Structures are given as structure tokens and as C-alpha cells.
Amino acid sequence: MSVLSGLVDPRARRGRRDDLVPLVAAALAATLAGASSFVAIASWLADQDAATATALGFCQRRRTPEASVFRRLFQRLDPASLDAVISVWMWTTTVTVGGRRVIALDGKTIRGARRAGALTPHLVAAFDHLRGVVVGQLAVADKTNEIPTVRTLLTHLAAVFDLAGSVITIDAMHCQDQTATTITTAGADYIFTVKANRPKLRAALKALPWAEVPGHASVEKTKGRRVRRTIKTVLVPDWITFPGATQVAQLRRTVTVNGTKTIEVVYLITSTNTDAADLAAMVQGHWGIENKLHYVRDVAFGQDASRIRTGHAPHIMATLRNIAIGLLRLDGATNITAALRHHNRRPDKVITLLTSTNWTLP
């Protein structure tokens, strides 16, 4: 309730029956119980006893809000303000390891919100590798793309939080001089993958004498799948002028699935002086934002099939899902779908999650 109290209610005072904070809190609580639509949110709230309703801020409960109340509110509520207050809350749950925090940045289009003649919402999120929580989110504005939006998000994060010593992992699209400058200016380091969007840089990295460089290898085995990763690092050559770069690396992935082998070789450029094994772990950890966030929003909440399309509602719902996933991971959940079912049966645990300040994960 303290976190949400910073939001501004976009509704006119006349005819307003329920306050803003209890409505957003109830929507988040219902999302933690697996609700993925306005009807489901209203139904979950209607099923709760007086104690749960009181904990959510409905002190004088005459009747529960209908789905239309949540729909109209979320269409108009400022998503940037919600993301801002939530990012501060989630940042307090993160920790540093060896004085370092690793953050992945990536974008996701809310495909279910596609409408004829309107921009489909595309959200860029900042995801903490260790805790599995979103510490920042920003929508791509009209007539622009993900690249400048990432820089704006980084600037916002740096203005609010101390990014010194953090490492930012980001995909090949953002391997840009200006993005590297934004990161290093904030006191953080970066790890970029170099692909076809920087053909000259990639060709130059490929031409380095990697055969003479010792490598660090690791093997990961799952049912029917074996992945061998070999990484080699060298100090950045003098002819590379990429801002802040200190090391370049070659990462070879050999994937064997049911006897079929595929090999992928990518090149990295980084401003951190970490060793090869640590660098490989951070590169692999970057995909947590896809596997532990974007994929889960689609599968556990059916985001791409959602019919919530108007106003700011798709963005608001994505933010609520981010929070729910993050809180469940902080609570130790590894299977989010199962955790949602469990919390649907235990509203007391939903309230505990929303009020907890003591997380025991490393």
C-alpha cells in the first residue's frame, strides 16, 4: 500500500466508489492467484472474505468492484508512474554478489494487444539475473524503436539507482557506440553480442587468432540435450575503438539433441575485466529475461492471447504480471504456473507475498 500510494488517480472524483490503491492492490493480488483478465480479477476479489478485503484496503466493503471498474481505471492509469514506483520496490529486493549486480535488458511486444491502425505495445524491461525481478520497464514510443528506448531506460535507472559496478547484458541489436557510452557513463559495464548488424566489427573479431587462445569449457546436460560451451577471451586489440571496451571473446556453443549436433559461434565485446567462466555465466544468464519473464507471461498468463487491447491497459497488465512473477520467484517458486494455482487456493499467502520484506534467497 505504501508503494502504490505514490500513484495519481486519473478518474474524476464524481461517482468514484473505490480508491485507487485498493483497486491496484486487488488486481495485483488476483494476478498472484492466476487472474489474467478484468473479469477474473473482479471474480477473485468477490470470492474473498472480509479479512482479505480489509488487508487490500477495502475498509467499508459494501460490494466488490465489477470488471468494468478495473477496465476503465487501467485504460487511463499512467503506466510510466506505475512502473516507476514498482521499480523502486523491486530494486530493494535485489542484492549484489561480489559488489556486482547483473541486469539484462530486452524488449517484448504484447501481440495480443494488436489493433488495426494502432501501435502494438512494445515494452523494454530491465531484469535482475539473480533475483529474477523486473527493476525497470519502459514502453517504446510512437515513431521510434527499441534502441533509443533502451538508452532512455538506462538513463532513468541511473538517475534513481546507483549502477556503479553493475553489468548490463544486452542482445546484438543494441551493440551500438552510443548505448555503450550511456552504460559506462552510469558507472556500469556492458556485455554485447556482436552479430551481423556490426559486420565489420564481427569480421575483425572473427579474424583474431582464436586457435592460439586457451578456452574455458562447460557442459550442460538435460534429458535428450547436451550443450557444450567454450569461451575464449583476449584483451581488446588497439584497433577497436568501441567505447570502454576491455575484452573481446569468442563463444562456441555445441548443441546435441537426440544425436543431431549444431554449432554456433558468436563474438562478445565487454567493458568488464571478469574472467572467462564468469563472462560465460553472465551471457547464459541473460536469457533468463526471455525464459523466466517473457515466456512465462505468455504461457502462465496467456498474454499473447489476451483480448485486453485498449488504452494503457495492456501495459498495466504486463506490469502486474512482472510483479507477480518476481514476487513468486523471490518466494522460491520455480514453476510459476503451479505457484499461481497454489496461491489461488491460499489468499492468505497472497497477502503475505504483498507485505513481505524478508527474502531468504541468496
Side-chain angles (χ1 to χ4, degrees):
M1 296 305 190
S2 175
V3 170
L4 298 177
S5 64
L7 298 175
V8 176
D9 198 328
R11 300 171 297 166
R13 288 186 179 274
R14 184 176 180 180
R16 188 193 304 173
R17 289 191 175 93
D18 299 291
D19 291 336
L20 171 67
V21 171
L23 288 173
V24 179
L28 176 53
T31 302
L32 279 164
S36 58
S37 68
F38 299 129
V39 172
I41 290 171
S43 297
W44 180 87
L45 182 58
D47 288 340
Q48 303 313 308
D49 58 22
T52 301
T54 300
L56 292 170
F58 295 95
C59 297
Q60 295 180 348
R61 190 181 183 193
R62 300 181 300 275
R63 62 178 181 81
T64 57
E66 297 179 356
S68 59
V69 174
F70 293 100
R71 181 183 300 108
R72 289 194 295 268
L73 173 61
F74 289 172
Q75 286 172 349
R76 300 172 59 190
L77 184 63
D78 180 19
S81 297
L82 179 60
D83 283 332
V85 298
I86 294 305
S87 68
V88 174
W89 180 23
M90 291 294 100
W91 186 270
T92 64
T93 70
T94 65
V95 294
T96 59
V97 177
R100 184 176 63 199
R101 182 182 282 105
V102 188
I103 300 171
L105 270 73
D106 195 24
K108 175 75 166 66
T109 298
I110 306 178
R111 294 182 177 87
R114 183 178 289 111
R115 293 185 297 148
L119 180 71
T120 304
H122 187 88
L123 308 179
V124 176
F127 180 84
D128 182 80
H129 280 217
L130 180 62
R131 291 296 209 182
V133 300
V134 174
V135 295
Q137 184 171 262
L138 189 64
V140 174
D142 293 351
K143 299 180 180 179
T144 185
N145 58 52
E146 190 177 307
I147 294 174
T149 304
V150 160
R151 296 170 189 159
T152 303
L153 178 56
L154 284 165
T155 301
H156 287 176
L157 292 175
V160 179
F161 311 120
D162 181 11
L163 294 182
S166 299
V167 178
I168 308 298
T169 62
I170 198 164
D171 64 24
M173 178 197 308
H174 302 281
C175 185
Q176 307 279 340
D177 291 30
Q178 188 174 339
T179 303
T181 299
T182 301
I183 294 170
T184 54
T185 299
D189 288 309
Y190 58 78
I191 300 174
F192 289 121
T193 302
V194 182
K195 291 187 176 179
N197 62 319
R198 297 293 297 264
K200 291 183 179 180
L201 179 58
R202 187 183 187 282
L205 292 175
K206 184 178 179 180
L208 291 174
W210 295 109
E212 303 171 10
V213 180
H216 170 82
S218 63
V219 176
E220 177 186 348
K221 295 181 180 180
T222 55
K223 186 175 181 180
R225 187 172 186 266
R226 181 179 186 272
V227 182
R228 178 182 176 86
R229 298 178 179 89
T230 303
I231 188 168
K232 301 179 177 182
T233 62
V234 295
L235 294 177
V236 65
D238 293 338
W239 48 264
I240 289 184
T241 59
F242 204 78
T246 58
Q247 291 187 98
V248 294
Q250 180 197 69
L251 179 60
R252 179 185 296 269
R253 301 187 187 97
T254 304
V255 181
T256 306
V257 179
N258 297 325
T260 303
K261 181 184 294 186
T262 59
I263 298 175
E264 179 189 23
V265 179
V266 299
Y267 298 93
L268 311 171
I269 187 165
T270 179
S271 61
T272 180
N273 290 311
T274 190
D275 60 35
D278 205 14
L279 182 61
M282 286 189 283
V283 172
Q284 184 179 357
H286 172 77
W287 297 109
I289 192 171
E290 182 65 36
N291 300 330
K292 297 180 180 180
L293 180 69
H294 295 157
Y295 177 79
V296 175
R297 285 205 322 233
D298 288 341
V299 173
F301 293 103
Q303 179 170 276
D304 280 353
S306 173
R307 298 181 64 83
I308 297 175
R309 299 173 181 172
T310 55
H312 298 310
H315 186 154
I316 297 293
M317 292 299 288
T319 299
L320 295 180
R321 291 160 186 160
N322 288 347
I323 306 167
I325 293 167
L327 290 176
L328 291 171
R329 293 213 183 277
L330 288 170
D331 197 44
T334 55
N335 185 322
I336 298 300
T337 301
L340 293 174
R341 289 196 298 267
H342 175 74
H343 285 79
N344 185 44
R345 299 188 299 268
R346 295 289 303 275
D348 58 310
K349 288 198 170 184
V350 170
I351 301 302
T352 299
L353 272 183
L354 291 176
T355 56
S356 179
T357 58
N358 183 26
W359 306 107
T360 58
L361 290 182

